Amino acid sequence: MTKVTAQLSVSVDGFYAGPRHTGDGDWMTSAESAGFFRVTRWVTDAMAWRERQGFAGGERDTNSDVVAESFEATGAYVMGRRMADGGEVPWGEEPPFRAPVFVVTHRPRPRVERKGGTSFTYVTDGVASAVEQARAAAGGRDVAVAGGGSLVRQVLKAGLLDELELHVVPVVLGTGLRLLDADLDLAEKEAVELTPIRVIPTPQVTHIRYAVRGRAPLQLDDRGSGGGPTVVS
Amino acid sequence: MTKVTAQLSVSVDGFYAGPRHTGDGDWMTSAESAGFFRVTRWVTDAMAWRERQGFAGGERDTNSDVVAESFEATGAYVMGRRMADGGEVPWGEEPPFRAPVFVVTHRPRPRVERKGGTSFTYVTDGVASAVEQARAAAGGRDVAVAGGGSLVRQVLKAGLLDELELHVVPVVLGTGLRLLDADLDLAEKEAVELTPIRVIPTPQVTHIRYAVRGRAPLQLDDRGSGGGPTVVS
């Protein structure tokens, strides 16, 4: 049964990168990348990630197992245009996905085939269409929303996300690009309810996987003062 | 050895309450309280909290143990003025703290003694002074920064916090009062580094306790491409 999943490394204050890089300078030395590199360091250090990139070394530990599990569970990816553009050169001829990738973009572009099973299909008719195409291509495995953060937010907002895993990195960045910023179109006293279904603590990062239950009204309660049931509607 | 600790219940997107209530309406029915009630519901449902309040019922479970442990570990509290004002009536003649409380305020006011060991001392010369006075009164137990969120942030910003425990509640509020908002005075490419020292997962809330290591520069890395050590300065 194919699920639509997303996972993102975030700081304790919810940022997946430093403040957005604009202008001419080198992204690699920007404040945006400094934040991004900090919260994704546990990935870069993981042997399972390094093997996919063709790099030596790395740690064979719980964090590496989390990366490996994620690669194995995923049959197709949905990706934002900015992330796809940014990765095109560094990912090279044999990108680490080894699965079809559907890029949400406004600019039509022919499908690109890479070595190792990765392809990039550019989808111009919206997020829901990209998710549907990825579902059809996933061969019964999961569809992973690879990022960036604004695409994850769009998929959540559209009610299309089944699971969200946050890799919470023990750092406070103070500023940057925030995954859960305020454009979820929630009504007053409305929220998105989740259920934690797996928590894996490690010294470098706390992995918390949530099932997304959906929108629900915030219920008032009586602070327990009646001595009866605490939550009243 | 007295530690300075803080703990706060927050949503997955980092809010400890809904959007700030202003104006004349009843706080209890405001969007601020709706968010606050949602993220603190696990506390209200805990038997250890209800017993302190003199309420019947509640769950005797892991979450209740977390509440009980927190009461026991604390020898004195530091509190923001808004929280102290808001609690004055509902906490009644025998507030749940059973320890000296130091309220950070601009308005001088005589010390208040309540039943059960709770007192309120109004400190007008700043956060650091309140923390010092609480430390002297804590009898070797911990000083807990009780909240609200902006006081916790001030204590963190001032480098006075030893441990921060976040009770992360599985809900996305979308908007509200955010604990870690951007006024920590961090330089560009500077962060506050933490170390997770305890994670307790429950269905209602994920308790993550961090030791605060302090400010540190964000280091660039080479994304592992050299095959050598990943993190280079």
Side-chain angles (χ1 to χ4, degrees), chain A residues 63-221:
Chain A
N63 293 326
S64 183
D65 291 345
V66 168
V67 172
E69 178 198 46
S70 164
F71 279 136
E72 279 154 27
T74 304
Y77 293 86
V78 177
M79 189 179 290
R81 196 271 310 161
R82 190 163 180 255
M83 178 173 170
D85 280 2
E88 188 156 0
V89 171
W91 291 328
E93 280 304 298
E94 192 169 344
F97 304 103
R98 303 185 189 170
V101 178
F102 296 85
V103 180
V104 180
T105 179
H106 294 290
R107 296 178 296 201
R109 184 175 158 182
R111 178 185 167 94
V112 173
E113 295 282 347
R114 297 282 190 218
K115 288 180 191 160
T118 300
S119 61
F120 295 94
T121 302
Y122 298 87
V123 178
T124 55
D125 55 347
V127 170
S129 170
V131 169
E132 268 320 294
Q133 291 181 54
R135 194 188 286 275
R141 290 196 288 166
D142 291 343
V143 170
V145 182
S150 74
L151 183 67
V152 172
R153 200 158 58 230
Q154 284 177 62
V155 175
L156 177 63
K157 184 174 169 178
L160 298 171
L161 196 64
D162 297 310
E163 289 181 6
L164 173 66
E165 184 158 15
L166 296 181
H167 310 291
V168 182
V169 174
V171 66
V172 177
L173 293 181
T175 181
L177 298 175
R178 211 189 289 266
L179 172 60
L180 294 167
D181 226 327
D183 67 350
L184 290 169
D185 280 347
L186 292 167
E188 189 180 88
K189 301 185 189 177
E190 186 188 41
V192 178
E193 293 284 345
L194 314 172
T195 301
I197 54 177
R198 189 180 75 169
V199 178
I200 300 179
T202 79
Q204 296 80 25
V205 51
T206 309
H207 309 279
I208 310 181
R209 183 178 291 171
Y210 296 101
V212 180
R213 286 164 48 204
R215 290 163 192 250
L218 289 171
Q219 311 227 309
L220 297 180
D221 67 53

Side-chain angles (χ1 to χ4, degrees), chain B residues 84-99:
Chain B
D85 280 1
E88 189 157 358
V89 172
W91 291 328
E93 280 304 299
E94 191 168 345
F97 305 103
R98 303 184 189 171

Side-chain angles (χ1 to χ4, degrees), chain A residues 12-13 28-31 33-38 40-41 44-45 49-50 55-56 156 166 168 170-175 178 180-182 184 186 188-196 199 201-203 206 208 210 218-221 223-225 227-228 230-231, chain B residues 12-13 28-31 33-38 40-41 44-45 49-50 55-56 156 166 168 170-175 178 180-182 184 186 188-196 199 201-203 206 208 210 218-221 223-225 227-228 230-231:
Chain A
V12 170
D13 47 348
M28 290 293 286
T29 58
S30 69
S33 77
F36 176 76
F37 289 0
R38 176 64 191 90
T40 57
R41 186 184 301 157
T44 314
D45 286 349
W49 183 86
R50 299 180 71 87
F55 298 157
L156 177 63
L166 296 181
V168 182
V171 66
V172 177
L173 293 181
T175 181
R178 211 189 289 266
L180 294 167
D181 226 327
L184 290 169
L186 292 167
E188 189 180 88
K189 301 185 189 177
E190 186 188 41
V192 178
E193 293 284 345
L194 314 172
T195 301
V199 178
T202 79
T206 309
I208 310 181
Y210 296 101
L218 289 171
Q219 311 227 309
L220 297 180
D221 67 53
R223 300 286 84 189
S225 59
T230 300
V231 181
Chain B
V12 170
D13 46 352
M28 290 293 287
T29 58
S30 67
S33 77
F36 175 76
F37 289 179
R38 175 64 191 89
T40 57
R41 187 184 300 159
T44 315
D45 286 348
W49 183 86
R50 300 179 70 88
F55 298 155
L156 177 63
L166 296 181
V168 183
V171 65
V172 177
L173 293 181
T175 182
R178 211 191 290 267
L180 294 166
D181 226 327
L184 291 170
L186 293 167
E188 188 180 89
K189 300 186 190 177
E190 187 188 39
V192 179
E193 292 283 345
L194 314 173
T195 300
V199 178
T202 79
T206 309
I208 310 180
Y210 296 100
L218 290 171
Q219 312 227 310
L220 297 179
D221 68 52
R223 299 288 84 190
S225 59
T230 301
V231 181

